[in-house]
Amino acid sequence: MRKKLVAKLFELSQGFYVRYFKQKKQAWGYTRASLLDFPKGTLGHEMGLFLESNGFEVIDKVERHDAYHVLLGFNTRAQDEVALQYLCFGNGKRSKYLFAVIALGSLILPEYIAYYYNCYKMGKQLNCFHSFDYKLLLNQPLDQLRAAICTSTQEHQIKQLCYDH
């Protein structure tokens, strides 16, 4: 029930977030289908596959969040959405929305606090990724982008963190 509450809060907050915090930001102008037109193995194509496999469409102005999911391998369960924000926080990202997700996620799903803390620590170890212009990287091979952010050992550790929860 609490996970459903977190999922509902994410859903409800998206429109508010885009309207009030991303007003000046430009949408990428892609749909799930147009992302699938990118060459196989690129960030763009993999984002299209991620959206398709989860039954999602692109949400204008927050496309970068989906890039994080693809790049780092987090799925979309409530606890993983919160954990992804912890990882981003550890990596240096700061935003009001991030702080709200961390605070509410920690309060509503406290049984995952060790997972969240481990994601935070992992974020501190990775090369900075939160400031990339992902729209410009859609044609880049996903493997190369991951290699620029983390070692293969770190990539394995992230996968292990995600799969254990």
Side-chain angles (χ1 to χ4, degrees), residues 21-132:
F21 292 101
K22 297 287 184 177
Q23 327 174 26
K24 296 178 185 176
K25 189 169 171 131
Q26 292 292 320
W28 289 6
Y30 290 101
T31 63
R32 177 176 66 194
S34 64
L35 287 169
L36 288 167
D37 289 337
F38 279 89
K40 289 185 177 165
T42 62
L43 176 62
H45 186 80
E46 294 299 320
M47 283 179 63
L49 291 174
F50 169 79
L51 292 167
E52 185 175 64
S53 70
N54 286 288
F56 298 152
E57 189 50 74
V58 173
I59 299 173
D60 288 341
K61 300 184 180 184
V62 292
E63 301 91 344
R64 183 169 63 172
H65 180 78
D66 294 328
Y68 293 162
H69 276 282
V70 170
L71 193 60
L72 299 165
F74 282 77
N75 75 40
T76 60
R77 297 176 304 185
Q79 67 268 23
D80 297 318
E81 290 286 0
V82 176
L84 177 57
Q85 296 302 316
Y86 267 91
L87 190 134
C88 290
F89 180 62
N91 196 249
K93 183 178 181 191
R94 302 292 184 265
S95 73
K96 292 175 185 174
Y97 190 78
L98 176 141
F99 291 126
V101 169
I102 286 174
L104 287 173
S106 299
L107 288 171
I108 297 171
L109 300 172
E111 64 270 28
Y112 294 101
I113 204 70
Y115 173 38
Y116 300 155
Y117 181 66
N118 287 330
C119 288
Y120 167 78
K121 289 190 309 185
M122 179 57 66
K124 291 183 77 62
Q125 295 173 21
L126 303 178
N127 292 327
C128 183
F129 66 84
H130 67 88
S131 59
F132 290 176

Side-chain angles (χ1 to χ4, degrees), residues 132-159:
F132 290 176
D133 186 341
Y134 286 98
K135 182 179 179 184
L136 298 177
L137 299 174
L138 291 173
N139 272 310
Q140 298 303 308
L142 182 60
D143 291 344
Q144 288 181 7
L145 292 172
R146 284 185 178 142
I149 292 169
C150 59
T151 66
S152 59
T153 301
Q154 289 169 325
E155 186 177 344
H156 177 73
Q157 290 170 337
I158 293 169
K159 285 179 185 175

